[in-house]
Amino acid sequence: MAGTALAQVIPIAAAPLLTRMYTPSEFGLLALFTSLSAVFGVVACGRYDLAVVLPEKAADAAALVVLCAAITLGFSISLLVCALAFSDHVAEALGNPDLAPWLPLVAPVVLLTGVFSALGYLATRSAQFPLLARARVVQALTGNGSQLALGQALPGPSGLILGNALSSTVAIGGLVRSARRDGALRWPEPGRLRRVAARYSDFPKFSIASALAQTASLLLVGVFLTRFYSAETLGQYSLVTRILAIPLALIGGAVAQVFFQRASASVRASGGMLPLFKQTLLSLSAISAVFSVAFFFLLPGVFGVAFGDQWREAGDLARYLIPGFAVQFVVAPLTMSNLANDKVRLGLAGDLVGLCTMMTALVVAAQMDASAAHALLSMSVAQALFYAAFLVVIYRHVRAGAHSVPA
């Protein structure tokens, strides 16, 4: 946990410097770039990366990692060709023509994202959580350090975007060296790639759409704020989400990986995970309550002091977004039970409904000429209600699985 915490402290420490080097509009451009990269990056492996923790044989897990790398490489090359051919049209569609020269850089970012994810799940499979924590620290140091250094040498948003692109490069090298040293990463024998691809084919069939629904919300909100309000508003929003996401990434992300590993092991051993699910739910709920109350009272006054006068609007927006983040913090790690139970269709349905719920709230607010703050409040409340309802659905499936286990 110490390494994971440090990986989140680094961007917090860098933020007051970055917000004085770059403008809200430049952060808005970065937000579009990172959300677009995330949409493609999360599906770069065909979602086979999620299956790496599941096989009983280590050779099958290694074959899945090789399969992920091959799919990611082909996908990234296709993205590069499309970006070179249509960058101006895509940037215009996203609402910010200044994004056009940066779109070809999305392809290498997606390649690095896919490889990092596959290697990360390989480490998760063998419960090498300290290794993952160190990789995240290196990732944070590389990304934020590059943004600070390049911000002194390059004009405009160049340092922000290039630093983001470089963030995973060093960390991937460490994960590869560790996997090869432990013998976890090896070239599969003929036929094994085809077998594991067929065995876990439900992941690309059903989990790709689910992942796109999850990450598309980031991109769609960014495009919505840029088109209906301004790039500066998106920049303010992106800083708020960066701060509010700290507990989600620091604690929620770590809990999700541990929960997934233990839930998968529990399902393999006994067929159920109900006690683990209840324990995790209670712990996350308590932590979420503490963070929500603290953020509600502290963040509005902190933003202007910590990040500079031009970011005071972000402090006001923070309060409006707390309801959605609070419930998401509790539910998001528990959605990993869908994967552990091989219920990827349930995850897909939930993610699609969640995306439609959030975007409907935003569009209705915009049609009523609401301010950006009130539009985001509508989205936040809709997000909280959706996650609460989805939690009930997930719990019923987990409980049904426990009751179906023979005594």
Side-chain angles (χ1 to χ4, degrees):
M1 180 64 77
T4 304
L6 180 58
Q8 296 303 316
V9 168
I10 291 168
I12 297 173
L17 299 175
L18 292 172
T19 53
R20 287 170 171 83
M21 295 174 64
Y22 302 100
T23 67
S25 295
E26 290 166 348
F27 267 91
L29 186 66
L30 174 68
L32 279 179
F33 177 86
T34 55
S35 59
L36 185 63
S37 301
V39 167
F40 292 123
V42 77
V43 298
C45 296
R47 302 299 278 171
Y48 279 111
D49 49 331
L50 296 175
V52 171
V53 301
L54 300 179
E56 294 184 3
K57 296 180 179 179
D60 287 342
L64 282 169
V65 173
V66 174
L67 178 64
C68 288
I71 294 173
T72 302
L73 179 60
F75 184 59
S76 300
I77 292 173
S78 300
L79 284 179
L80 180 59
V81 172
C82 292
L84 291 173
F86 305 109
S87 58
D88 290 336
H89 299 289
V90 173
E92 189 68 33
L94 295 176
N96 195 331
D98 293 338
L99 185 63
W102 299 107
L103 287 175
L105 196 59
V106 169
V109 170
V110 168
L111 176 62
L112 293 170
T113 300
V115 172
F116 185 89
S117 180
L119 292 170
Y121 278 109
L122 185 63
T124 299
R125 172 185 170 81
S126 53
Q128 295 186 45
F129 303 118
L131 173 64
L132 284 173
R134 288 196 299 272
R136 292 194 185 97
V137 170
V138 171
Q139 190 178 42
L141 282 172
T142 304
N144 288 273
S146 299
Q147 288 174 331
L148 289 170
L150 293 172
Q152 299 290 337
L154 300 174
S158 303
L160 276 177
I161 295 177
L162 291 173
N164 175 267
L166 292 170
S167 60
S168 296
T169 51
V170 180
I172 286 175
L175 291 174
V176 169
R177 286 192 298 271
S178 176
R180 294 188 65 180
R181 183 176 60 248
D182 297 340
L185 192 59
R186 69 196 79 165
W187 192 257
E189 62 268 22
R192 190 177 292 272
L193 277 179
R194 189 181 302 109
R195 289 197 298 273
V196 296
R199 168 64 182 85
Y200 299 101
S201 60
D202 270 0
F203 285 86
K205 286 179 182 176
F206 303 108
S207 187
I208 283 180
S210 175
L212 285 174
Q214 290 176 350
T215 54
S217 62
L218 301 173
L219 180 60
L220 291 176
V221 170
V223 173
F224 173 88
L225 291 177
T226 302
R227 285 194 169 275
F228 281 89
Y229 299 99
S230 67
E232 183 174 348
T233 300
L234 175 57
Q236 300 278 358
Y237 169 78
S238 71
L239 180 63
V240 175
T241 56
R242 183 172 183 166
I243 300 302
L244 291 181
I246 289 169
L248 193 63
L250 172 62
I251 302 172
V255 169
Q257 284 198 315
V258 175
F259 175 76
F260 185 32
Q261 189 266 339
R262 293 179 178 174
S264 299
S266 179
V267 169
R268 289 197 299 266
S270 63
M273 66 174 88
L274 186 59
L276 175 65
F277 186 94
K278 289 181 177 179
Q279 178 186 2
T280 306
L281 172 61
L282 291 174
S283 299
L284 288 171
S285 299
I287 296 170
S288 178
V290 172
F291 272 108
S292 298
V293 172
F295 281 179
F296 183 84
F297 288 105
L298 296 177
L299 284 185
V302 165
F303 270 78
V305 176
F307 305 117
D309 288 339
Q310 62 180 342
W311 295 96
R312 290 189 182 277
E313 181 185 344
D316 297 328
L317 293 178
R319 280 183 170 174
Y320 293 107
L321 294 172
I322 286 174
F325 270 89
V327 186
Q328 182 185 13
F329 175 86
V330 175
V331 181
L334 296 173
T335 61
M336 300 301 284
S337 62
N338 295 330
L339 298 176
N341 268 332
D342 204 15
K343 300 286 186 181
V344 291
R345 299 186 189 189
L346 175 61
L348 169 60
D351 291 327
L352 290 174
V353 172
L355 175 61
C356 293
T357 301
M358 291 172 56
M359 294 312 302
T360 299
L362 282 175
V363 171
V364 169
Q367 293 300 318
M368 297 174 65
D369 294 324
S371 65
H374 288 148
L376 290 173
L377 175 61
S378 300
M379 181 193 74
S380 180
V381 172
Q383 183 182 26
L385 293 173
F386 158 72
Y387 273 112
F390 194 40
L391 174 62
V392 174
V393 175
I394 295 171
Y395 176 76
R396 288 178 176 175
H397 278 267
V398 170
R399 186 177 60 182
H403 290 168
S404 66
V405 177

